[in-house]
Amino acid sequence: MYNLFTGSGVGPTVFYLAVSIFLGLLLGRIKVAKISLGITWVLFVGIILSALGVTLNNNMLHIIREFGLILFVTAVGLQVGPGFFKSFKKGGLAMNLMALVNVGLGVVVTVIIAKLANESLADMTGVYTGAITNTPGLSAAQQAVTDLGITGAADRLAAGYAVTYPLAVVGMITTCIILRPLCKIDVKNEPSDLGIEIETKSATPTSQRHKVNLIPLFIIIAVGIVIGSIPIPVGMDAPLKLGLAGGPLVAAIIGSWMGVKKGWLTTDFTDSHGVWMLREVGIALFLAGVGLGAGGVFVTTVTEHYIWVLYGVIITMVPPIIVATFGRLVLKINYYTLMGFIGGSHTDPPTLAFANNIAPEGCKLPNMGYATVYPLTMFLRIFTAQLLVLLAM
């Protein structure tokens, strides 16, 4: 019985994964000023357990967290795929161009900070992924440093991510608030219905029960792994890859879009409770695996590199303030849509939840802004995280 709590076999690994997840989900229900870190608490519970001395099999944790991430991005791709290409119509193209600029500014700010502060760009990549709250980006960066054979870098990336993530959530919500006086926005007189009919399938699962067909699901995963393994030469020490996160995401988006269009799949399937459950289980396994493997490094990072928190806030807030101000003052984008854009351009559900709390009842504009830029942003974040690692070599 004692070995269950101290060993590094299957039993202890599953036990501490379960403990991290259920405690994290319970803590995720806590809200302060209507803000919650949600499922991200799973990461921090795992870090605490690891910092307290829980030592598990690293190879086993690696497999679990990567498979969890694959399930997560596949489910996300299935949910957003059917409406992905429709999002480029009307104002969708402009907002996706804004998202492209926003991502580019985030990379530039990260590189500038690394140069001015004489920080390792590899370490700053972890700070970057936490500051933009992008878990697949963290995984892509970890895969890149593993492929390059950099010992210990993956854990430092995870620590940088964990250090900057909490304030990143607060920072994006603060950005939404700052926009009001900055752009002289009167929320009381802001239109909440622009006559746009949108699909919000990525936000919540439908109430209809639908059996998950596992055959197309695992075909998509298999194809996605192949796509993610294709090297894209960029003239650096290693090629870029979509990786274990980007490959399945691409395959799922294209597969669900084409499947629904051709009648092979239905939106009842792509937005079913089963797919939603795969998404939540996947991200929970990934976050727990990352936390349980990074606790020791996290403590060292907090004590020796507390300034990373400030760097993270700068990376989080400067780009969206610039881009969203342009979107409001020049493109005249609705404020509720802009709040959704800020959440989507950082792939951050808490910001979307905040926007929906602020918007009048029945207003779909935050969901539209979020869903419009989310898929493209996810691709860009995965690529840029790898690019920063390669630039560091």
Side-chain angles (χ1 to χ4, degrees):
M1 181 63 137
Y2 180 72
N3 289 336
L4 177 62
F5 306 104
T6 60
S8 59
V10 175
T13 301
V14 175
F15 173 79
Y16 284 111
L17 282 168
V19 170
S20 298
I21 292 171
F22 85 72
L23 285 180
L25 293 177
L26 286 176
L27 290 170
R29 297 181 178 180
I30 299 173
K31 293 184 178 180
V32 178
K34 296 184 178 180
I35 300 173
S36 170
L37 291 179
I39 200 170
T40 311
W41 271 109
V42 173
L43 171 70
F44 296 113
V45 172
I47 287 174
I48 291 170
L49 290 174
S50 179
L52 291 175
V54 172
T55 303
L56 302 172
N57 187 302
N58 285 330
N59 291 331
M60 197 177 302
L61 283 178
H62 177 75
I63 293 172
I64 289 171
R65 68 173 179 249
E66 294 305 320
F67 186 62
L69 183 66
I70 290 168
L71 291 179
F72 170 72
V73 296
T74 301
V76 168
L78 286 171
Q79 291 175 324
V80 304
F84 175 63
F85 295 101
K86 291 180 181 179
S87 69
F88 286 91
K89 296 180 180 179
K90 297 183 179 180
L93 179 58
M95 281 201 292
N96 274 286
L97 289 174
M98 286 170 56
L100 176 62
V101 173
N102 186 61
V103 172
L105 284 175
V107 173
V108 170
V109 170
T110 301
V111 173
I112 290 174
I113 290 174
K115 294 292 185 182
L116 294 179
N118 197 29
E119 293 277 3
S120 163
L121 188 54
D123 287 343
M124 286 301 297
T125 302
V127 173
Y128 167 77
T129 58
I132 60 174
T133 66
N134 191 266
T135 306
L138 169 65
S139 175
Q142 288 179 317
Q143 186 177 352
V145 296
T146 300
D147 291 344
L148 292 168
I150 307 175
T151 305
D155 287 343
R156 286 179 64 84
L157 285 168
Y161 170 93
V163 165
T164 54
Y165 190 107
L167 277 184
V169 174
V170 178
M172 276 179 283
I173 292 173
T174 303
T175 298
C176 293
I177 297 172
I178 289 175
L179 281 178
R180 298 180 197 174
L182 187 63
C183 298
K184 298 180 180 180
I185 296 171
D186 184 358
V187 178
K188 293 182 180 179
N189 295 321
E190 188 73 6
S192 61
D193 183 5
L194 301 182
I196 299 174
E197 293 296 327
I198 62 169
E199 296 180 4
T200 58
K201 293 184 177 298
S202 61
T204 54
T206 61
S207 59
Q208 180 180 359
R209 296 187 64 182
H210 192 282
K211 183 178 180 180
V212 176
N213 187 344
L214 295 180
I215 294 176
L217 177 69
F218 281 95
I219 289 175
I220 286 171
I221 289 176
V223 172
I225 298 299
V226 173
I227 293 174
S229 301
I230 298 173
I232 304 172
V234 289
M236 296 185 179
D237 291 345
L240 288 176
K241 297 178 182 178
L242 281 171
L244 296 178
L249 179 64
V250 170
I253 287 177
I254 295 176
S256 61
W257 169 74
M258 185 177 294
V260 170
K261 186 177 181 180
K262 298 291 186 180
W264 304 329
L265 300 174
T266 66
T267 53
D268 287 335
F269 164 69
T270 59
D271 193 39
S272 67
H273 275 285
V275 171
W276 179 81
M277 180 66 76
L278 284 175
R279 187 187 74 181
E280 297 303 299
V281 170
I283 194 62
L285 287 173
F286 177 81
L287 292 173
V290 169
L292 288 167
V297 178
F298 176 81
V299 173
T300 303
T301 302
V302 171
T303 55
E304 297 182 0
H305 302 284
Y306 53 86
I307 192 66
W308 285 3
V309 176
L310 174 60
Y311 298 156
V313 171
I314 295 172
I315 296 168
T316 296
M317 296 185 65
V318 171
I321 286 177
I322 294 172
V323 174
T325 300
F326 174 84
R328 176 64 179 187
L329 298 181
V330 178
L331 300 181
K332 309 299 181 184
I333 297 176
N334 180 277
Y335 176 58
Y336 300 122
T337 305
L338 272 181
M339 286 196 292
F341 164 83
I342 292 171
S345 63
H346 287 75
T347 61
D348 184 61
T351 304
L352 176 61
F354 172 80
N356 281 322
N357 284 333
I358 296 298
E361 184 177 354
C363 177
K364 297 180 179 180
L365 297 178
N367 288 330
M368 184 196 74
Y370 186 92
T372 296
V373 299
Y374 180 96
L376 178 63
T377 297
M378 183 68 80
F379 295 141
L380 295 174
R381 296 301 191 187
I382 291 170
F383 272 122
T384 53
Q386 293 179 81
L387 182 62
L388 284 170
V389 170
L390 295 177
L391 288 173
M393 298 302 103

